[in-house]
Amino acid sequence: MDLIEIDRKIMNDIVVEKTWEIPAHADKGPVTITLRMPEVRVTDSEGRHIVISPAQADLVSTRMSYIVEWMCEAARSGTEEDDD
């Protein structure tokens, strides 16, 4: 076995895993996000989960960053309509 084959075996045997837990809030959650290369698993408080690819995780992250902004705009629009 040469060094390249040894490196490949080591890299294949290494488990790259990281877990983040998002605490429960307003009767929702908690949510657990687990990265286990090359997939990301999102698990809700009832144990249901979805598995997404790294590219999907990047896209979800980008979309999630806009949620609060969108919700604030929607709330302002609703408030403005109530003022009429």
Side-chain angles (χ1 to χ4, degrees):
M1 194 178 281
D2 66 9
L3 289 178
I4 293 174
E5 290 174 335
I6 292 171
D7 283 346
R8 285 187 185 145
K9 176 154 179 49
I10 290 170
M11 292 305 292
N12 288 336
D13 291 344
I14 292 175
V15 175
V16 178
E17 186 170 334
K18 175 78 174 157
T19 299
W20 297 267
E21 185 165 320
I22 300 165
H25 182 267
D27 297 327
K28 306 290 184 215
V31 174
T32 303
I33 301 172
T34 303
L35 165 65
R36 185 173 183 144
M37 292 302 285
E39 299 173 334
V40 177
R41 177 184 294 242
V42 179
T43 307
D44 70 10
S45 59
E46 295 180 19
R48 298 174 297 202
H49 67 269
I50 60 169
V51 177
I52 58 178
S53 71
Q56 288 173 309
D58 183 44
L59 186 57
V60 168
S61 173
T62 300
R63 297 297 189 259
M64 295 291 285
S65 68
Y66 296 112
I67 287 177
V68 173
E69 179 183 339
W70 181 84
M71 290 174 68
C72 289
E73 287 177 19
R76 282 193 300 273
S77 295
T79 302
E80 291 168 6
E81 289 175 10
D82 291 342
D83 289 343
D84 290 342

